Amino acid sequence: IDLASTALKALESSDGLVAVQGLRISCSLLCAQVSVSQLWSSGAVDRYLFALENSLRWDVVRYACDALCQGLLLEMTEESESKQCSFAARLMPQLPRLL
């Protein structure tokens, strides 16, 4: 079973509890630095932002923020090693609509 793919598919669900579980798995995998490339993709960032913008469930918002924060943390670590900022570059243009 590919947990990253399963987590991202769960984020497409209209069921809030399923989305919460998908975000929890995503956060756990990001923290463990497992399947980072898949969970760091543009599509994944778009799903986190969609959940953040459209959910009325506190858990969904919290875990979406956790996933985005963990991605930024990993990006800062990676940036210091390789001078790339792909995650932050994808996220920054999206911030005005969140504010």
Side-chain angles (χ1 to χ4, degrees):
I1 297 175
D2 180 15
L3 287 177
S5 295
T6 303
L8 291 175
K9 284 181 185 176
L11 293 178
E12 296 174 356
S13 174
S14 60
D15 184 336
L17 294 176
V18 173
V20 167
Q21 295 305 319
L23 286 164
R24 288 180 67 199
I25 293 168
S26 296
C27 289
S28 297
L29 293 174
L30 283 168
C31 288
Q33 297 184 15
V34 176
S35 301
V36 171
S37 62
Q38 190 173 2
L39 296 170
W40 240 355
S41 68
S42 292
V45 172
D46 288 341
R47 289 178 189 167
Y48 303 145
L49 290 171
F50 181 83
L52 184 62
E53 293 172 341
N54 295 294
S55 181
L56 299 175
R57 296 184 62 90
W58 168 242
D59 285 348
V60 170
V61 172
R62 182 180 69 170
Y63 285 115
C65 287
D66 288 350
L68 291 168
C69 289
Q70 184 62 30
L72 289 172
L73 178 65
L74 290 171
E75 185 64 37
M76 286 185 348
T77 304
E78 185 179 290
E79 181 181 309
S80 66
E81 296 172 3
S82 67
K83 305 297 182 208
Q84 294 178 343
C85 56
S86 59
F87 189 83
R90 287 194 302 269
L91 181 60
M92 294 309 281
Q94 310 275 349
L95 286 180
R97 74 176 191 200
L98 294 176
L99 302 174

